[in-house]
Amino acid sequence: WAQVAAERPSFAEVVARLRPPERELLIFVCSPSISPLSNALPEALAVDAACWQGGGVCEIVAQDTTAQQLRAKLVAQSTRRLLFIGHADADDPAGAGHTLGFTAAGGGLETVNAQDVASVLGNVGTGNGGALDLCFLNGCCSEALGRAARDRGVATVVCWSTRALDSAARLFSTTFFETIHLHRSSCRQAFDEAVRAVRVETLA
């Protein structure tokens, strides 16, 4: 009996086995019908391809991309990195500048207070004991929200202080994640390489 009891897994071990593996990257694609983004899904697929080549676990969410769905995804599975692809210059319902443009049921635009979005991100950030250490907000004028997310507990945030051309945003994010996953580079090195890629493209 003692041997059987010793071999029986503890409750914590059973829970750990049932828990889904850590998600390396969650790509959340929002392209509401009011202002669709033709480059959004191709960008997500390009980043996903880079992650698989680098051995990472990546999930793309391109349907039902509401704020509630983002929260549920982050809570349900430990996630190291998040890439949001979409509009980030939607009017904040609280009147405090800009917020992310989520996609409501039926394809319409859904907005949530920027501070509530920052709270969702920060809650699973490394600063609060979570796994999320990188949040890439690939949308126009996302700096204020990015700073709020960092203040709430996300260690590293990549965002735009200005409006962003779709093609430049796509090149920037794909280069960034390719550099991280294929070359095992730091976020700083990946950021610098993505900047170089955009500059070369625009000056060519």
Side-chain angles (χ1 to χ4, degrees), residues 53-70:
Q53 290 178 44
V57 178
C58 176
E59 179 183 357
I60 297 174
V61 180
Q63 294 182 330
D64 300 323
T65 48
T66 63
Q68 192 63 254
Q69 175 77 328
L70 175 61

Side-chain angles (χ1 to χ4, degrees), residues 27 43-55 58 60 178 181-182:
I27 305 177
E43 175 185 336
L45 294 173
V47 172
D48 179 47
C51 289
W52 280 114
Q53 290 178 44
C58 176
I60 297 174
E178 284 173 359
H181 288 280
L182 296 183

Side-chain angles (χ1 to χ4, degrees), residues 47-119:
V47 172
D48 179 47
C51 289
W52 280 114
Q53 290 178 44
V57 178
C58 176
E59 179 183 357
I60 297 174
V61 180
Q63 294 182 330
D64 300 323
T65 48
T66 63
Q68 192 63 254
Q69 175 77 328
L70 175 61
R71 184 203 62 79
K73 284 284 184 181
L74 292 175
V75 169
Q77 185 174 2
S78 180
T79 302
R80 287 193 61 205
R81 296 171 178 138
L82 168 68
L83 169 60
F84 174 89
I85 302 173
H87 299 291
D89 57 351
D91 291 334
D92 186 334
H98 297 126
T99 189
L100 300 183
F102 295 99
T103 310
L109 177 67
E110 175 188 85
T111 57
V112 177
N113 294 352
Q115 287 302 317
D116 292 333
V117 176
S119 177

Side-chain angles (χ1 to χ4, degrees), residues 154-171:
V154 182
T156 302
V157 180
V158 179
C159 48
W160 291 85
S161 62
T162 63
R163 295 187 62 81
L165 187 67
D166 286 355
S167 57
R170 176 180 174 178
L171 176 61

Side-chain angles (χ1 to χ4, degrees), residues 123-137:
N123 181 58
V124 294
T126 53
N128 290 307
L132 189 67
D133 62 8
L134 168 66
C135 179
F136 193 129
L137 301 176

